[in-house]
C-alpha cells in the first residue's frame, strides 16, 4: 500500500526556521487580537509562500520578516467541514523595492475557502482544528493531505456515508510489526491480523453511538474477497470456513475490504468506511494528546506486554499506553475477552480527554494530533482527503460521550475444542444484539425524541385484532432468500389460518427490513398479522392498501433481507440481553 504524496506539497512549518523546531511551538497568542497566529522564524529573504520547487525564487516579507497566519482558536468549533479538494496554487510574493526597506511588507493575500479546516483523526474518535485561510495554512493543509495513506474498499462498503442514515465505521488494530521500535511486538514475520476490531455505529439522528468489539478468536466464515492488485487488476482471494476472525486481515494477502465483508456476513451490518491503525497509532496519539488517564484496581506487572504499574490512577502515553492496551495475562481471566474490556475503558478515557477543553483549546496539542493522526492510520479511498475526513468527522462528532456505549459480541467457549482457545457466538443473544444495532436501537439511555418514537411504534400494536380468517395480504419478496414469499404464504394459510393471502412475487426494490403497509381501516388486520409474524411496531407502516387478484383491498407484506424464514419472529429487542458485556464512555472504571 503506497503512501499518496503530492510532489508539489511543501511543509509550511519548514519555511524560515530550523528543522528541529516543533511546529506546535509556532502557534502563539496575539494579545492585541486575541487570536492565535502561526509565526515562522524571521527571514528577510523569504516569503511565507515559496515558489515552485526548483524555481529558486522567493519573495520577501519586509522589515522584520516574521510571517504571520491568523488562526481562530478551535474551542467549540469541533466538527466543521473542510474546504474544497481542488484548491488554487499558492501565490508568490513580489520583492519589496529597495527604497521601501523601512516599511512593513504587506500581508499575504488571503484566499477564501482554501485550506480552512484541518482534520485530526484520534484513534476511535475525531477532533478538528480550524486554521486561518492564509497561504501558510493552506500549505499545512496540503502537507497533512500528503500524510494520508488509503487503499480501496473493493466494493465491500456502501460507497460512503450519508447524512440521512446511520453511519457504520470499521476500526481495525493490526498486530503487524510496522514502525520504529515495534520489532518486539506482534507475530514475527507476520503480515498482521485483525487483532483488535471495533464496529462504530452512529445513530441516524446522531444522538447516540455504539461500539461493538469483535473477539479476535471468534470462529466464523470469511467470504471470498475480490481485491484490487497494484497493477489495477482484480484477484479473488478464496474465502475460508470456520476460522478465526482475525485471519480476515493480512493472512493470504487479505486487505481491510475482506474484514469489511466478514463483518457484514457476521452481523448483517454493511460498513461505510474503514480505518486501520498499527502499534505506532497508540503511541503517537496518546503522546500528542498529553496522555490518557487510566485506573487499576490492582498492581499489574506483565512481562509479555511489559506493563508495570501499581494500582491506582495513572496518566499513560507512548510505549506505556501500548503496553496497557496489549496486556491480557494480568487482567480478568487472562484472555482476549478481558483485554477487550480493558481496551474499552482505555478508549472511553481517551475520548473524554480528546473532548476536554484542555485538548480542544490547546493549539500545540491540536497540531501534534494533526501530525500524528494523519500519519497513524490507513483509511479507505472514499475518505482519502482532509476534506472528506472532515465531512465524516462533522457527523461523528455530534453525539455526546454519555450516549456512547461499548459492547462485546456475546460468545462462549468453542465446544468443538478440548483445550479452549477459540470462541463461538452465544445465541440468541448475539443475533439480538446485532438486530438492535441494525435497527438503530440505542444501547444507552434513549433521548426523549426516541422515547416518543418508540411509544408511537408500540401503540400500533395495541388495540383489537381481527380474526386471522379476515386478514387480506399480498406477500412480496423484497430481498429475502428466493422462495420466501411462497414459503410464507403456505405457512400462513396452512398453519395460521390466514386464508385470504396471496403471493405477489418480487417487490420493485429490495429492503433491509421486512415491512407491513396497511390503510387506516386495516389496522385491526395489521395487528393480527404482526402478532402472527412477530413484527415490531417499527415494521408497521401506515399508508394505503392495494388491490389483490380478486379486486379486494389488501395489505402489503414485503419480506426484507432480515427475513429468516416463516415463523421466525422479526421483533427487535427493546433492551440489551442481560449477559452482554457493555460499558459507557462517560464512566471511569478501574481494571481488575
Amino acid at each position: 500500500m503506497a503512501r499518496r504524496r503530492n510532489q508539489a506539497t511543501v511543509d509550511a512549518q519548514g519555511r524560515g526556521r530550523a528543522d528541529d523546531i516543533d511546529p506546535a511551538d509556532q502557534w502563539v497568542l496575539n494579545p492585541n487580537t486575541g487570536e492565535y497566529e502561526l509565526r515562522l522564524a524571521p527571514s528577510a529573504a523569504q516569503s511565507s509562500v515559496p515558489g515552485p520547487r526548483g524555481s529558486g525564487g522567493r519573495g520577501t516579507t519586509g522589515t522584520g520578516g516574521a510571517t504571520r497566519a491568523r488562526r481562530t482558536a478551535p474551542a467549540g468549533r469541533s466538527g466543521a467541514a473542510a474546504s474544497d479538494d481542488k484548491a488554487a496554487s499558492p501565490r508568490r510574493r513580489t520583492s519589496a523595492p529597495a527604497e521601501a526597506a523601512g516599511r512593513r511588507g504587506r500581508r499575504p493575500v488571503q484566499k477564501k475557502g482554501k485550506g480552512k479546516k484541518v482534520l485530526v483523526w484520534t484513534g476511535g474518535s475525531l477532533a478538528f482544528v480550524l486554521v486561518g485561510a492564509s497561504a501558510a495554512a493552506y500549505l499545512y493543509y496540503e502537507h497533512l493531505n500528503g500524510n494520508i495513506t488509503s487503499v480501496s474498499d473493493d466494493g465491500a462498503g456502501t460507497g460512503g456515508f450519508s447524512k440521512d442514515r446511520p453511519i457504520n465505521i470499521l476500526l481495525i488494530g493490526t498486530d503487524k510489526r510496522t514502525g520504529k521500535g515495534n520489532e518486539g511486538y506482534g507475530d514475527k514475520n507476520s503480515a498482521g491480523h485483525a487483532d483488535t476490531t471495533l464496529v462504530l455505529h452512529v445513530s441516524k439522528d446522531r444522538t447516540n453511538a455504539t461500539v461493538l468489539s469483535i473477539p479476535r478468536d471468534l470462529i466464523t466464515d470469511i467470504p471470498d474477497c475480490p481485491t484490487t492488485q497494484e497493477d489495477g487488476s482484480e484477484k479473488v482471494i478464496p474465502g475460508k470456513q470456520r476460522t478465526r476472525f482475525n485471519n480476515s486481515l493480512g493472512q493470504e494477502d487479505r486487505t481491510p475490504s475482506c474484514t469489511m465483508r466478514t463483518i457484514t456476513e457476521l452481523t448483517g451490518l454493511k460498513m461505510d468506511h474503514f480505518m486501520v491503525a498499527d502499534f505506532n497509532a497508540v503511541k503517537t496519539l496518546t503522546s500528542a494528546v498529553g496522555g490518557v488517564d487510566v485506573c487499576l484496581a490492582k498492581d499489574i506487572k506483565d512481562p509479555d506486554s511489559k506493563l508495570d504499574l501499581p494500582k491506582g490512577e495513572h496518566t499513560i502515553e507512548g510505549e506505556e499506553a501500548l503496553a496497557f492496551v496489549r496486556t491480557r495475562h494480568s487482567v480478568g481471566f487472562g484472555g482476549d475477552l478481558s483485554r477487550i474490556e480493558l481496551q474499552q475503558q482505555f478508549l472511553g478515557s481517551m475520548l473524554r480527554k480528546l473532548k476536554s477543553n484542555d485538548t480542544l483549546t490547546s493549539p500545540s496539542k491540536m497540531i501534534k494530533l494533526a501530525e500524528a493522526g494523519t500519519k497513524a492510520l490507513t483509511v479507505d479511498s472514499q475518505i482519502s482527503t482532509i476534506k472528506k475526513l472532515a465531512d465524516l468527522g462533522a457527523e461523528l462528532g455530534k453525539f455526546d460521550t454519555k450516549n456512547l456505549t461499548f459492547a462485546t459480541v456475546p460468545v462462549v467457549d468453542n465446544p468443538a475444542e478440548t483445550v479452549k482457545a477459540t470462541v463461538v457466538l452465544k445465541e440468541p443473544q448475539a443475533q439480538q444484539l446485532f438486530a438492535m444495532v441494525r435497527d438503530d436501537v440505542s444501547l444507552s439511555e434513549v433521548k426523549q425524541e426516541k422515547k416518543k418514537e418508540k411509544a408511537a411504534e408500540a401503540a400500533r400494536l395495541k388495540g383489537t385484532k381481527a380474526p386471522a380468517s379476515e386478514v387480506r395480504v399480498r406477500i412480496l419478496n423484497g430481498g429475502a432468500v428466493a422462495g420466501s414469499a411462497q414459503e410464507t404464504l403456505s405457512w400462513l394459510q396452512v398453519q395460521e389460518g390466514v386464508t385470504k393471502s396471496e403471493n405477489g412475487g418480487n417487490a420493485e426494490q429490495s429492503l433491509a427490513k421486512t415491512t407491513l403497509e396497511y390503510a387506516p381501516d386495516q389496522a385491526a388486520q395489521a395487528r393480527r398479522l404482526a402478532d402472527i409474524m412477530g413484527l415490531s411496531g417499527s415494521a408497521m407502516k401506515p399508508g394505503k392498501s392495494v388491490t389483490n387478484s380478486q379486486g379486494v383491498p389488501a395489505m402489503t407484506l414485503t419480506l426484507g433481507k432480515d427475513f429468516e424464514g416463516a415463523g421466525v419472529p422479526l421483533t427487535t429487542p427493546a433492551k440489551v440481553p442481560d449477559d452482554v458485556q457493555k460499558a459507557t464512555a462517560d464512566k471511569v472504571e478501574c481494571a481488575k
Side-chain angles (χ1 to χ4, degrees):
M1 297 181 288
R3 184 179 295 277
R4 298 186 311 104
R5 293 199 180 276
N6 184 339
Q7 294 300 318
T9 298
V10 181
D11 184 352
Q13 289 74 17
R15 296 294 175 186
R17 65 165 175 82
D19 290 338
D20 59 350
I21 296 178
D22 188 336
D25 295 334
Q26 294 177 287
W27 288 103
V28 296
L29 179 67
N30 186 332
N32 297 322
T33 65
E35 296 179 327
Y36 286 96
E37 297 180 353
L38 176 63
R39 296 187 179 180
L40 307 185
S43 174
Q46 293 181 352
S47 76
S48 64
V49 187
R53 289 186 179 178
S55 67
R58 291 178 182 171
T60 63
T61 60
T63 301
T67 302
R68 294 180 177 88
R70 288 191 177 183
R71 176 183 187 274
T72 304
R77 299 292 301 275
S78 168
S83 64
D84 255 358
D85 283 334
K86 188 176 180 182
S89 299
R91 297 179 182 175
R92 295 174 58 186
R93 296 279 307 280
T94 57
S95 299
E99 61 270 18
R103 290 182 297 171
R104 204 174 168 79
R106 295 180 182 178
R107 292 183 183 273
V109 177
Q110 292 188 347
K111 299 173 185 281
K112 294 183 179 180
K114 300 298 182 183
K116 286 187 177 179
K117 284 89 177 177
V118 179
L119 169 142
V120 183
W121 167 250
T122 54
S125 64
L126 292 170
F128 297 90
V129 53
L130 274 68
V131 179
S134 68
Y138 167 71
L139 290 174
Y140 188 55
Y141 172 91
E142 284 296 285
H143 162 72
L144 293 180
N145 238 359
N147 285 346
I148 299 172
T149 299
S150 66
V151 294
S152 174
D153 70 358
D154 298 311
T158 62
F161 79 97
S162 173
K163 293 184 179 181
D164 59 355
R165 58 179 171 79
I167 299 175
N168 294 311
I169 310 291
L170 175 62
L171 309 172
I172 309 172
T174 176
D175 58 359
K176 185 177 181 180
R177 291 179 173 186
T178 54
K180 184 179 179 181
N182 296 323
E183 299 83 2
Y185 303 130
D187 294 335
K188 187 175 182 180
N189 300 322
S190 171
H193 303 78
D195 193 53
T196 298
T197 304
L198 307 169
V199 174
L200 170 63
H201 171 88
V202 182
S203 66
K204 180 179 178 179
D205 63 7
R206 309 295 188 254
T207 62
N208 62 88
T210 299
V211 175
L212 288 182
S213 292
I214 313 295
R216 67 174 190 176
D217 296 323
L218 173 66
I219 295 299
T220 189
D221 295 335
I222 299 175
D224 292 345
C225 298
T227 308
T228 303
Q229 304 299 295
E230 289 186 4
D231 61 2
S233 63
E234 184 180 279
K235 173 185 176 182
V236 177
I237 301 175
K240 193 169 185 179
Q241 306 297 304
R242 310 301 297 165
T243 186
R244 274 182 167 91
F245 175 86
N246 67 352
N247 290 324
S248 64
L249 178 70
Q251 307 307 297
E252 300 178 39
D253 296 326
R254 293 190 179 96
T255 65
S257 66
C258 294
T259 309
M260 289 182 89
R261 296 181 193 278
T262 305
I263 286 289
T264 299
E265 287 285 318
L266 179 68
T267 67
L269 290 164
K270 193 156 188 177
M271 299 294 101
D272 295 303
H273 302 287
F274 66 73
M275 298 180 179
V276 182
D278 59 14
F279 292 137
N280 272 352
V282 177
K283 294 192 289 186
T284 59
L285 289 169
T286 53
S287 295
V289 80
V292 174
D293 300 327
V294 298
C295 180
L296 299 179
K298 63 179 181 179
D299 297 343
I300 292 183
K301 190 168 185 177
D302 185 352
D304 293 320
S305 71
K306 299 179 177 59
L307 179 66
D308 187 358
L309 286 175
K311 73 175 182 178
E313 297 181 352
H314 305 274
T315 300
I316 59 175
E317 62 178 274
E319 292 286 348
E320 196 168 48
L322 179 60
F324 184 87
V325 298
R326 290 187 67 246
T327 190
R328 55 178 175 139
H329 299 302
S330 300
V331 293
F333 296 104
D336 187 52
L337 296 180
S338 297
R339 184 177 68 162
I340 285 175
E341 292 186 43
L342 192 75
Q343 291 173 344
Q344 290 174 348
Q345 295 165 15
F346 177 86
L347 288 173
S349 178
M350 187 171 185
L351 181 58
R352 293 193 298 273
K353 185 67 174 285
L354 290 168
K355 288 203 169 189
S356 69
N357 287 334
D358 181 54
T359 299
L360 294 176
T361 60
S362 170
S364 62
K365 286 184 180 180
M366 297 301 283
I367 293 172
K368 287 176 181 177
L369 279 167
E371 289 290 338
T374 52
K375 290 178 181 177
L377 301 176
T378 296
V379 301
D380 67 88
S381 54
Q382 302 291 339
I383 47 173
S384 59
T385 67
I386 294 295
K387 180 188 184 310
K388 292 176 181 177
L389 281 168
D391 289 342
L392 173 61
E395 295 301 305
L396 299 185
K398 291 179 178 178
F399 65 85
D400 195 308
T401 53
K402 69 180 181 181
N403 291 323
L404 171 62
T405 305
F406 293 95
T408 304
V409 173
V411 294
V412 294
D413 289 333
N414 188 351
E417 294 177 334
T418 303
V419 178
K420 304 303 180 184
T422 62
V423 294
V424 295
L425 291 179
K426 183 176 184 179
E427 303 293 12
Q429 290 87 342
Q431 296 308 323
Q432 292 171 346
L433 180 60
F434 296 153
M436 291 185 71
V437 179
R438 284 197 306 267
D439 290 349
D440 208 21
V441 177
S442 173
L443 274 62
S444 62
E445 289 297 322
V446 181
K447 294 213 167 196
Q448 195 63 34
E449 306 86 68
K450 280 281 186 183
K451 289 182 179 179
K452 290 179 180 178
E453 183 180 328
K454 292 296 179 185
E457 292 174 358
R460 294 171 194 161
L461 297 171
K462 295 180 180 179
T464 59
K465 300 180 179 65
S469 59
E470 294 181 7
V471 174
R472 291 185 174 86
V473 60
R474 293 183 74 240
I475 306 166
L476 303 179
N477 190 330
V481 175
S484 293
Q486 185 59 43
E487 176 194 359
T488 303
L489 175 66
S490 299
W491 174 72
L492 287 175
Q493 290 184 339
V494 176
Q495 297 189 39
E496 301 297 332
V498 185
T499 56
K500 296 176 181 178
S501 53
E502 64 181 34
N503 185 348
N506 292 327
E508 293 182 359
Q509 60 183 13
S510 61
L511 302 177
K513 302 174 184 177
T514 297
T515 62
L516 174 61
E517 185 175 4
Y518 59 96
D521 61 351
Q522 296 171 320
Q525 294 183 46
R527 285 192 284 269
R528 173 59 67 192
L529 187 59
D531 183 59
I532 293 172
M533 295 286 299
L535 297 177
S536 64
S538 62
M540 300 174 68
K541 307 296 182 184
K544 60 182 181 180
S545 63
V546 295
T547 302
N548 64 14
S549 57
Q550 281 77 43
V552 179
M555 301 181 295
T556 301
L557 174 66
T558 305
L559 306 178
K561 294 178 182 178
D562 62 340
F563 182 77
E564 297 181 1
V568 179
L570 291 167
T571 304
T572 302
K575 66 184 186 73
V576 184
D578 292 336
D579 48 1
V580 172
Q581 181 275 320
K582 70 184 186 77
T584 55
D586 64 331
K587 292 184 180 179
V588 179
E589 296 187 27
C590 294
K592 300 177 180 179

